[in-house]
Amino acid sequence: LPFGKDRPYMRDMNGFGQAILGGWEFTGVTTAYSGRPYTPIYGNNTSLNSDYTLRAFQVGNPTSNVSSGLGFNPGAYVPLSTVLSDPTFAFQQGNAGRNSLRRPVFFEADWELAKNFKLTERQNLRFSWQNFNVFNNVNRGLPVNDLTSSSVGTYTSLEGFAIPRTMQFSLKYSF
C-alpha cells in the first residue's frame, strides 16, 4: 500500500506512524474463466455392441427450459430406450457435438494482506492474513452427462481445486 517510508504518501511519518501505517502489502490472484466443455453421452451402450460410450442424439435445445438445479435439459436428447429399440439409431454415433455443452463459469479470488515489521537492519517480522476464495463463490464441477443415469444433469461435485472460503494467519521471522 502506498503509505510510509519510500512510498508516495506519508513518507515523512514519525516512528510510531510508520509502525502502524507503513509496511503493508496487498497481493493476490484472481482467477476467472468460462466453463469447461463436456459432451452428453449414453453410458450404457449396446447399440454399437461394445462398451464404448455413445454420443447422444440431440432433438432439442439443451440450454432452454433447464430445470432448477440442473446443468442442461436432458429432454433435449433421445432417450436410450428409443435409441436401443428404433432401428434408425442402430450402430450410429449421436449428432450431439463433442464438447457441445459448458459448465458454469469459474471464479475464485485468493488475496493476502501482510504487514512487515523491521526489527533491526537484518531482522524482519512479517504478519500475513491469507484468504482463499474470498467471496466464497461456489464453483461446481461438471454435471452428470450420462443420459442413462438417474441423476443426469445434476451437479454432484465441486470443481477439483475449488475450496470454500478459507483463511489463515502466519508469522514469519527472517534474519
Side-chain angles (χ1 to χ4, degrees), residues 92-169:
Q92 295 183 50
Q93 272 285 8
N95 63 348
R98 179 180 176 274
N99 291 335
S100 57
L101 298 174
R102 289 198 170 269
R103 65 171 284 288
V105 298
F106 179 92
F107 179 82
E108 186 171 282
D110 301 333
W111 295 345
E112 175 187 34
L113 182 63
K115 168 82 167 122
N116 294 307
F117 298 94
K118 191 163 185 83
L119 303 176
T120 65
E121 189 172 323
R122 293 182 154 192
Q123 296 178 356
N124 294 302
L125 189 64
R126 178 183 176 92
F127 172 76
S128 64
W129 175 36
Q130 298 167 334
N131 294 274
F132 305 97
N133 196 2
V134 172
F135 301 111
N136 204 24
N137 190 47
V138 177
N139 291 302
R140 296 180 175 145
L142 295 176
V144 175
N145 66 334
D146 183 354
L147 294 166
T148 63
S149 171
S150 60
S151 57
V152 62
T154 60
Y155 294 97
T156 59
S157 66
L158 296 176
E159 186 68 44
F161 47 87
I163 57 172
R165 180 186 302 134
T166 306
M167 296 182 201
Q168 68 184 21
F169 296 95

Side-chain angles (χ1 to χ4, degrees), residues 62-75 140 152-155:
T63 59
S64 67
N65 300 321
V66 179
S67 300
S68 177
L70 295 182
F72 64 96
N73 179 4
R140 296 180 175 145
V152 62
T154 60
Y155 294 97

